[in-house]
Amino acid sequence: MTDLSMSDEELARQPAAYWTGVAYEALIAFTRARQLEKGYTQPQFWLLRNLSVNDISPDGEGMTVAELGEAMKSYIRPEDDLEAESAVLEERGWLRRDAEDRLWLTEEGEQARVDLARHSPAIRAALHEGIDDADYIVALRVLGQLIRNAGGTAP
């Protein structure tokens, strides 16, 4: 639809929804490809994070797949199959399932979460290459205002 060789005036008239949608898909695809190269998927990492008391979980208690899906509803994608992803993590010994079908993070799973988190700075650095932090901050502030202008709640 567009390219960045347009003039500033032409770019100023571009629809933000188009650009944010394209950006979202590209960023997710890039991130997921880098994670897959390291042997894990984004949903697997989210499962570990959501079950870790040292990360997202407030109490480290086990959760069902449905509860995890509810906890991740703001960022899970329609194609993500948490049941299948959790089964892979169970096979690796990173999760265990109890009699009530709740998933629990194992010691090995906690160590895996820590190890996998070490890849995040490199992914971020690759995505931010050539972007000054000040420009990035301005972009996020602009996106936040667009969200508020559209009636949403910016984080």
Side-chain angles (χ1 to χ4, degrees):
M1 176 181 182
T2 58
D3 66 61
L4 293 177
S5 65
M6 287 188 251
S7 69
D8 287 353
E9 294 78 21
E10 290 170 317
L11 282 171
R13 291 191 302 269
Q14 289 294 304
Y18 168 77
W19 283 86
T20 57
V22 170
Y24 173 76
E25 292 300 329
L27 294 169
I28 291 295
F30 180 89
T31 299
R32 287 181 174 217
R34 298 301 79 74
Q35 290 172 327
L36 201 54
E37 289 169 0
K38 300 294 184 185
Y40 67 101
T41 67
Q42 191 172 50
Q44 289 168 357
F45 186 48
W46 288 337
L47 286 164
L48 297 174
R49 293 189 66 204
N50 274 273
L51 291 167
S52 174
V53 71
N54 298 309
D55 201 334
I56 297 174
S57 174
D59 55 15
E61 292 295 312
M63 298 172 75
T64 65
V65 170
E67 290 168 336
L68 286 158
E70 182 62 26
M72 295 186 245
K73 70 181 177 186
S74 67
Y75 49 90
I76 200 80
R77 292 179 56 97
E79 68 270 20
D80 293 339
D81 183 344
L82 295 182
E83 189 61 57
E85 299 287 4
S86 64
V88 171
L89 297 179
E90 283 183 88
E91 289 172 17
R92 291 180 183 172
W94 296 355
L95 296 181
R96 68 174 176 80
R97 194 177 299 258
D98 67 18
E100 285 82 40
D101 216 25
R102 299 176 78 73
L103 294 167
W104 295 81
L105 189 63
T106 64
E107 282 185 41
E108 295 83 4
E110 177 60 18
Q111 185 57 56
R113 182 197 63 79
V114 169
D115 293 344
L116 297 178
R118 291 188 179 122
H119 300 297
S120 297
I123 294 170
R124 182 193 186 280
L127 289 170
H128 285 242
E129 187 175 335
I131 302 169
D132 183 73
D133 281 348
D135 289 340
Y136 182 71
I137 291 165
V138 169
L140 292 183
R141 292 193 190 285
V142 168
L143 287 172
Q145 188 60 51
L146 286 168
I147 293 165
R148 287 186 294 279
N149 290 350
T153 304

